[in-house]
Amino acid sequence: MKNKIIIKDVYSRQNKIYYDYDIEGEEQFKKLFWMGELFSVEYNESIEDVPKSILIIPLICNVLPIAWLNNAIIYIPELDYTFYKSIRLIKKGYEKMLPNLEFKAKLKIKKKVHNDYEASDRVAMCFSGGVDSYSTLISRMEEKPDLVTIWGADIDFENEKGWEVVKDFVQKVGMERGLKNVLIRTAVRRFIDNSELEKQYHDILKGDWWLVMQHGIGLLGNFAPYAYKYKLKTIYIPSTFTKYDNFVCASNPNIDNNLKFGNTSVFHEGYEYTRQDKVKNICDYVKKTKDKIKIRTCFRSLDGDNCCKCPKCYMTLFAIVSQGMDPNKFGFKFNDEILQKMKESLSEREFLTPIQRSLWKQIQNSCIENEEKFKNDYHINWIYDMDFEEIPQEENRKEKSIV
């Protein structure tokens, strides 16, 4: 039986988009979707005047990767012509990233719509409050980007308490800098069965579905209605990795930079910088401007704050230490007790995935560059003797919140 995603209708009511669709085909294919809650997107302002050919883009961006790997047909009532043209180039980006996989799907579109508008000078960016986000914000500050924060990606769709913390955090950042906050609640990780996707594809992809297949266009598609409303020129998505890394991630320039809708384009920002470069950029900016920056990096904490005991918190706070700055001034709790636990976890070779090992090596190199400055500092000098090249890995361990 042919696998099909049949989109019957899409419509908006004030600030929310509703989608009506059916999934047909092989049982294995149908298992990938959770039909208990259909895909939806909600904004903190009205999007009622946005045409259906644009409203449909958030869903298409999130079903395309599944359709490609299952040779499915997507039935679409109407679609923005510019976005339609970009799909072929996006697919090429995936094929370049995963050359051993076949990407096959068919789009049956009743109506292609030319949504031509003169783009304004207005821009927007993905903003979570992490290292990548702040590095992009600092680089693009003069353009006064709208700060777009997604609820449903790193903060669970139902985690209202954690979202309130994040919302207050990002709105404070926007208010202090005179920037507009855009808040989007989306079912990007809710309308699919993540456990079934992991079961079917983790060994094939050698990584989790979100990172390898969905992250990138899955987030960016949610911008389309907002971009149409305000005729945005550019959307910036902060890079997760760098051109020097050898890791597979669905958010990369070969994919993101090919995404277009209406007259709005996307730019994958900061790909030339390592994570340690970004931390240095942030620290240098704070030294120069005296601006107060609180980094929100932890995806493990349920309350939306930094737990200061997970691998990602450890890496980020110590990256700040390696720049001669105090992590306590960046939203972390750092003291001798936390330092000791961090040293023990690394000495006992816990936690580290290949990605984390690479990031710790960057931090170590930063400390080595400043060895004369730090050689008598017990907070730092222990890291010189660590060998991050030969930390054994457990085959089945995976850390989803990597960077």
Side-chain angles (χ1 to χ4, degrees), residues 28-33 66 70 192-193 196-197 200:
Q28 219 175 349
F29 175 69
K30 292 194 289 185
K31 281 182 181 179
L32 301 175
F33 298 87
I66 296 176
N70 287 275
I192 51 178
D193 189 326
E196 188 64 32
L197 284 160
Q200 291 190 32

Side-chain angles (χ1 to χ4, degrees), residues 158-274:
E158 298 298 324
N159 184 1
E160 293 189 16
K161 181 183 176 183
W163 172 247
E164 284 301 315
V165 174
V166 173
K167 183 176 77 170
D168 291 346
F169 171 84
V170 296
Q171 287 182 326
K172 186 171 186 287
V173 173
M175 182 182 67
E176 289 175 346
R177 292 159 181 81
L179 304 175
K180 180 182 177 181
N181 287 99
V182 183
L183 308 175
I184 303 177
R185 185 175 188 254
T186 172
V188 284
R189 302 183 77 169
R190 182 85 171 174
F191 84 110
I192 51 178
D193 189 326
N194 286 283
S195 60
E196 188 64 32
L197 284 160
E198 290 299 303
K199 179 181 172 184
Q200 291 190 32
Y201 292 107
H202 188 270
D203 290 344
I204 296 169
L205 299 174
K206 296 179 174 56
D208 74 85
W209 179 265
W210 173 254
L211 181 71
V212 179
M213 292 299 295
Q214 195 179 359
H215 176 50
I217 63 170
L219 287 177
L220 289 164
N222 294 282
F223 282 69
Y226 181 80
Y228 176 88
K229 179 177 179 177
Y230 290 102
K231 311 298 183 278
L232 297 186
K233 179 177 68 174
T234 310
I235 296 164
Y236 296 108
I237 181 167
S239 63
T240 300
F241 296 112
T242 169
K243 62 182 180 182
Y244 307 108
D245 291 322
N246 191 30
F247 301 119
V248 177
C249 177
S251 181
N252 69 66
N254 293 320
I255 296 172
D256 297 340
N257 289 353
N258 285 311
L259 178 60
K260 292 179 174 61
F261 26 76
N263 281 341
T264 301
S265 61
V266 172
F267 186 74
H268 188 89
E269 174 76 21
Y271 195 56
E272 68 274 25
Y273 295 127
T274 66

